[in-house]
Amino acid sequence: MTTLLMALFLSLQAATQLGTEEEARAQDLMREVRCMVCAGQSIADSDAGMAVDMRRFVRERVEQGQSDREIRDALVERFGHQVLMRPPLDSQTAPLWIAPVAFLLLGGGLLAATMRKKR
């Protein structure tokens, strides 16, 4: 039984062995994809089981010859735009891009108002 499991493990490892250029491309993609379990980590940095599965998915797609865009699109189709570390600006993700600027302006305005009152 142990021999069978070891053979299965080694065959799975061999199935996802990429060349150096392909592995570098896969690593770049993995840094662009957010782990859906961990807060703010890419799948390249996460040890969560889901991140392991997502890394395997990316490597398999790279090995199949899919483009970076096709791989990203497949992940977005499955998980939504929140799977990307830098989601595109559209109607659904606009609050993600606008909120930091709005809070910065609001904080600056409150600070300026407070400074004027103290004079």
Side-chain angles (χ1 to χ4, degrees), residues 8-30:
L8 180 63
F9 176 74
L10 290 174
S11 68
L12 288 174
Q13 286 293 99
T16 58
Q17 293 296 325
L18 300 173
T20 54
E21 286 183 24
E22 290 175 323
E23 182 61 31
R25 189 173 139 230
Q27 289 294 323
D28 288 343
L29 277 166
M30 289 177 208

Side-chain angles (χ1 to χ4, degrees), residues 66-83:
Q66 290 188 355
S67 70
D68 292 359
R69 182 169 195 83
E70 290 173 323
I71 297 169
R72 273 190 229 98
D73 289 347
L75 288 164
V76 167
E77 184 178 316
R78 184 172 286 170
F79 299 105
H81 284 291
Q82 65 268 23
V83 76

Side-chain angles (χ1 to χ4, degrees), residues 107-119:
L110 289 173
L111 181 64
T114 304
M115 298 287 279
R116 284 185 191 149
K117 284 184 182 179
K118 286 187 178 184
R119 285 189 201 176

Side-chain angles (χ1 to χ4, degrees), residues 7 13-14 28 31-32 52 56 65 89 91 93 98 106 115:
Q13 286 293 99
D28 288 343
R31 283 190 283 279
E32 295 178 18
V52 172
R56 186 179 309 120
L89 181 59
S91 62
T93 61
I98 296 171
L106 180 64
M115 298 287 279

